[in-house]
Amino acid sequence: MDGPLLETKDLCVWFPVRRGRGLGAKKAMVRAVDGVSLQVAAGETLGLVGESGCGKSTFARTLVLLEKPVSGEVLFEGRSLRGLGARELRRVRPRLQMIFQDPYASLNPRMTVADALAEPMIVHGTVPRAEVPAAVARLMERVGLARRTMRKYPHEFSGGQRQRIAIARALATEPRLIVADEPVSALDVSVQAQIINLLRELQAEMGLTMVFISHDLSVVRHLSRRIAVMYLGRIVEEGPAEAVFAEPRHPYAHALLSAAMTPDPRRERTRPRIPLPGEPPSPIDPPSGCRFHPRCPMAGPECALRGPEAESCGPDHRAWCMRLSAGKADDASVSF
Amino acid sequence: MRRVQGGKRGQMALLEVSNLRTWFHTREGVVRAVDGVSFALEAGEMLGVVGESGSGKSVTFYSLLGLVPVPPGRIESGRALFEGCDLLQISSQGMRNVRGRRIAMVFQDPMTALNPYMTVAAQVAEPLTVHEGLSHAEARVRVLEALRAVGIQDAERRMDLYPHAFSGGMRQRVMIAMALTTNPALLVADEPTTALDVTVQSQILDLIAGLQRNRGMAVVLITHDLGVVARACDRVAVMYAGRIVESARTEALFDRPRHPYTEALMDSLPSTAPAGAPLRAIPGMPPDLLGERSGCPFAPRCTHAVDRCRTAECALVETEPGHATACIRAQAGEW
């Protein structure tokens, strides 16, 4: 198939909230995702990074139809997911699966592993009934769970093993797209690496397309071919992982990547870091113009006035900063 | 007073812990959460204590501060000399004079560690009124100073707000302000940045490091993140299965780990892996701490293990000045 497997066009997901108390309360909108356009090619991994509250989880949930956009659309295999009827939804859903952060909360405590894995196969009819037990056994083996544990309940497993169950469950319907929202964040370091390796192997083997979300930049870098950096509901930079990590062009991306700590004491103590003053503003009334301008070390007066357009900064690499076109961000990045 | 391993000659350590064992007596049996931990901490030093969940890093310091619930917990053995008195022997009254005054603590989750029903000013003032007997007005002045010192903007107005009005990073600053009001000699920070965003983590670590330098305060930073250790700590103790398996100065530890667990942990990180290659994961799982063990607790997962690793007594021994390992093969120069 030509074209991206997944595409979002100007996607906006807002949530109504009440501000103030009692009778004086006013309705307002939390603009969790506010105009995100991204493309993910078949078989590739897009890493989505950003800090809490930037909208990355809402974006992820919208991709797998767990949230409804207020405007814009998600296209999967070239078709809009907007306004699909129940029958069509049933056809699409098994192809879009999600892995959640907390394997303690995402599994039903009353279902054995075998039942948890068989359920999606039966509901979506992806495997004939008679073959379900064999398919479950194969799946367990594939994710590294001993077959003899199939009658056990989630509480009998460790965190890493539970995440294996959650991964197996996501794979049960033979999806094309996996959205993984912080899938290794709740795990211990030594177990994290096992799960990351498993995800990589599965992706290569099954030709999966993945949207991978994590606050751990080293994990994202390891797994992703492309990276998108999100700030306050918008993408501020996207491009090939190596290019973005080597030379982030948006001031926020630059600050975020410079804050990540590496296990190298000499480098950690000497390398420059860009301190970011303050904290992200509220997504209820985001700043005018460029959303990062109140905290941006390079903002000029024009940044408050209008939103930035995408600036190309290399093959397949874009950043939304108007100082880039003016050439000023380049000068400033030298003095970082 | 004994001289201390790793300590400077003739100088007494601020805190000296030897052979601490904290076990939990549960229905399933005895869980040896901390099983023979010894270390020393100099005044003004920042010590990183690294380990995975269940390695005993938090329980070690909870034991020293009398915060382990008894029962099921019990301190089976050990000594912990701090400013000349044994923390494990003093009365609960004595402990109240130390805890929060000479040794302060910052916890991981700033969302639950603050009382939602008290204003920030009232909470930060509490150690001052309790430990120093200050009046309300005197305490307020000190609270304001403390909040400004940890970088809370507009502190005069915001001190009378409740915790919910503060973001995660700001709450952690409030926790640190509260810990520092009494000028403690030692700050124990248990995963102080784990619940925070990357850029905020960086701010909080800088804040703690700055306070440590300016006040000459010793800091114990409990963390699972080797990046945090590399960034901030002078010395590191690596814990596994209730024991310290390696301790060294930070650079020495990262340059040349002398315990296979430390090495495996570093190798398993995505940031050290070559692009495109699978990570070198540590096989298996951390051990069950239930019941008696013999030999090296890491042996079942260790690629360097030989038969005698499974039976030998693995004590922490210095192989170079200031660098100690519990690996018997490293001690014998075989690895």
Side-chain angles (χ1 to χ4, degrees):
Chain A
M1 190 188 69
D2 299 337
L5 179 79
L6 178 82
E7 185 174 5
T8 69
K9 283 189 179 160
D10 206 19
L11 193 69
C12 294
V13 189
W14 298 357
F15 300 103
V17 286
R18 295 169 75 83
R19 293 189 98 185
R21 284 176 205 179
L23 294 173
K26 286 195 186 111
K27 285 212 175 116
M29 282 291 181
V30 175
R31 300 168 172 224
V33 175
D34 204 19
V36 170
S37 302
L38 277 178
Q39 299 187 343
V40 190
E44 84 171 1
T45 299
L46 173 77
L48 187 58
V49 298
E51 298 182 272
S52 36
C54 76
K56 56 190 195 301
S57 289
T58 303
F59 178 72
R61 293 171 60 85
T62 312
L63 295 183
V64 295
L65 302 163
L66 291 175
E67 306 287 352
K68 272 210 169 90
V70 293
S71 69
E73 57 185 353
V74 179
L75 287 93
F76 179 67
E77 296 175 332
R79 291 180 56 196
S80 174
L81 298 182
R82 180 157 253 213
L84 289 187
R87 183 186 289 265
E88 287 137 313
L89 276 178
R90 288 264 302 256
R91 242 199 312 266
V92 170
R93 279 213 154 101
R95 307 168 72 73
L96 303 166
Q97 289 289 322
M98 186 148 174
I99 300 168
F100 297 91
Q101 172 171 359
D102 185 356
Y104 292 81
S106 64
L107 296 169
N108 185 339
R110 297 185 186 205
M111 281 172 99
T112 64
V113 179
D115 291 342
L117 298 185
E119 189 184 45
M121 299 178 188
I122 294 167
V123 167
H124 291 296
T126 48
V127 177
R129 286 262 177 166
E131 290 165 30
V132 165
V136 165
R138 267 202 310 278
L139 198 53
M140 287 184 70
E141 214 157 273
R142 184 60 206 89
V143 299
L145 291 164
R147 221 186 260 211
R148 63 187 153 74
T149 59
M150 66 193 286
R151 293 283 151 222
K152 289 194 174 182
Y153 289 88
H155 76 266
E156 298 175 84
F157 293 89
S158 69
Q161 284 174 312
R162 282 187 223 201
Q163 203 56 299
R164 288 177 196 269
I165 302 172
I167 291 170
R169 192 169 145 95
L171 296 176
T173 57
E174 291 171 9
R176 292 199 69 190
L177 176 76
I178 294 268
V179 178
D181 189 2
E182 303 267 9
V184 298
S185 308
L187 306 177
D188 266 319
V189 187
S190 74
V191 180
Q192 258 191 23
Q194 298 174 2
I195 299 296
I196 292 171
N197 283 345
L198 175 65
L199 285 171
R200 272 180 63 117
E201 286 165 28
L202 290 169
Q203 187 188 20
E205 225 169 82
M206 307 173 72
L208 289 170
T209 306
M210 207 155 51
V211 174
F212 188 91
I213 297 179
S214 177
H215 69 280
D216 187 333
L217 298 167
S218 63
V219 173
V220 173
R221 179 180 199 168
H222 183 74
L223 279 173
S224 312
R225 203 178 70 79
R226 281 175 61 236
I227 301 279
V229 182
M230 205 166 168
Y231 182 77
L232 214 60
R234 295 220 169 129
I235 303 295
V236 296
E237 179 162 352
E238 65 151 321
E242 283 318 309
V244 175
F245 273 96
E247 204 189 343
R249 303 303 301 273
H250 191 281
Y252 174 69
H254 200 160
L256 181 70
L257 300 184
S258 86
M261 284 168 276
T262 52
D264 179 347
R266 285 189 189 82
R267 185 162 172 268
E268 274 307 308
R269 276 153 214 211
T270 51
R271 79 192 166 91
R273 226 176 277 280
I274 304 154
L276 261 194
E279 289 175 22
S282 158
I284 294 178
D285 22 43
S288 62
C290 169
R291 298 198 163 180
F292 187 57
H293 86 263
R295 301 172 74 198
C296 182
M298 293 183 277
E302 74 276 18
C303 296
L305 298 177
R306 57 189 174 87
E309 300 289 321
E311 298 286 344
S312 170
C313 27
D316 199 23
H317 186 175
R318 294 181 295 168
W320 280 256
C321 174
M322 59 183 87
R323 308 287 277 177
L324 279 175
S325 55
K328 285 168 187 156
D330 272 346
D331 302 344
S333 67
V334 176
S335 63
F336 268 157
Chain B
M1 299 295 156
R2 284 193 324 156
R3 258 221 326 270
V4 165
Q5 173 210 0
K8 285 192 191 112
R9 212 166 281 276
Q11 196 183 330
M12 208 183 74
L14 175 70
L15 172 68
E16 187 192 335
V17 174
S18 46
N19 201 26
L20 176 69
R21 283 175 212 276
T22 307
W23 296 357
F24 291 87
H25 297 262
T26 66
R27 211 179 292 170
E28 284 77 35
V30 180
V31 176
R32 302 177 182 216
V34 176
D35 203 18
V37 163
S38 305
F39 65 92
L41 181 71
E42 303 292 328
E45 173 180 53
M46 174 127 40
L47 172 71
V49 179
V50 201
E52 300 178 76
S53 38
S55 63
K57 55 194 194 302
S58 296
V59 177
T60 298
F61 291 91
Y62 284 26
S63 304
L64 302 183
L65 292 171
L67 296 174
V68 169
V70 181
R74 195 160 80 197
I75 292 170
E76 307 286 337
S77 76
R79 237 167 38 128
L81 291 176
F82 175 78
E83 297 187 327
C85 73
D86 186 346
L87 295 175
L88 302 177
Q89 297 298 328
I90 55 175
S91 63
S92 52
Q93 183 55 49
M95 180 53 87
R96 277 199 287 276
N97 278 325
V98 172
R99 190 174 52 208
R101 192 171 70 87
R102 300 303 298 153
I103 305 179
M105 198 149 179
V106 174
F107 298 92
Q108 170 172 349
D109 187 356
M111 301 295 161
T112 54
L114 292 168
N115 184 339
Y117 289 115
M118 280 171 90
T119 64
V120 161
Q123 286 184 71
V124 180
E126 208 172 28
L128 291 169
T129 50
V130 171
H131 289 296
E132 296 185 18
L134 295 190
S135 72
H136 184 69
E138 290 165 327
R140 256 187 97 80
V141 176
R142 291 271 295 276
V143 167
L144 192 58
E145 269 170 35
L147 291 176
R148 282 185 180 143
V150 296
I152 290 188
Q153 313 273 315
D154 196 12
E156 199 146 21
R157 185 181 64 82
R158 300 190 68 185
M159 67 195 282
D160 291 313
L161 300 177
Y162 289 86
H164 73 85
F166 289 73
S167 68
M170 283 298 149
R171 286 186 217 193
Q172 201 57 292
R173 286 175 195 267
V174 170
M175 289 295 297
I176 293 169
M178 194 178 349
L180 296 180
T181 47
T182 55
N183 280 318
L186 170 61
L187 175 71
V188 177
D190 188 359
E191 303 267 10
T193 61
T194 306
L196 306 176
D197 275 321
V198 191
T199 57
V200 183
Q201 274 189 7
S202 196
Q203 294 171 2
I204 296 290
L205 277 181
D206 286 344
L207 172 66
I208 293 176
L211 292 165
Q212 174 222 2
R213 267 195 311 275
N214 300 339
R215 301 183 177 214
M217 173 179 73
V219 177
V220 171
L221 197 65
I222 302 173
T223 180
H224 68 279
D225 187 338
L226 287 168
V228 169
V229 170
R231 166 90 180 272
C233 298
D234 303 312
R235 220 149 51 79
V236 195
V238 181
M239 287 192 75
Y240 188 78
R243 305 179 191 179
I244 294 177
V245 294
E246 180 167 5
S247 86
R249 295 204 60 80
T250 307
E251 282 87 357
L253 186 99
F254 282 90
D255 282 349
R256 191 162 176 249
R258 300 304 296 135
H259 195 283
Y261 174 63
T262 316
E263 189 191 55
L265 205 55
M266 288 178 189
D267 285 348
S268 72
L269 297 177
S271 44
T272 55
L279 301 181
R280 281 184 280 173
I282 307 178
M285 278 182 293
D288 189 354
L289 301 179
L290 205 62
E292 220 171 320
R293 278 160 293 158
S294 64
C296 171
F298 188 60
R301 303 173 77 187
C302 180
T303 48
H304 304 287
V306 293
D307 280 348
R308 73 193 147 85
C309 294
R310 291 173 233 286
T311 50
E313 191 56 43
C314 296
L316 193 63
V317 174
E318 276 195 10
T319 51
E320 286 151 51
H323 200 150
T325 173
C327 174
I328 52 168
R329 298 204 65 199
Q331 290 163 9
E334 297 169 10
W335 173 74

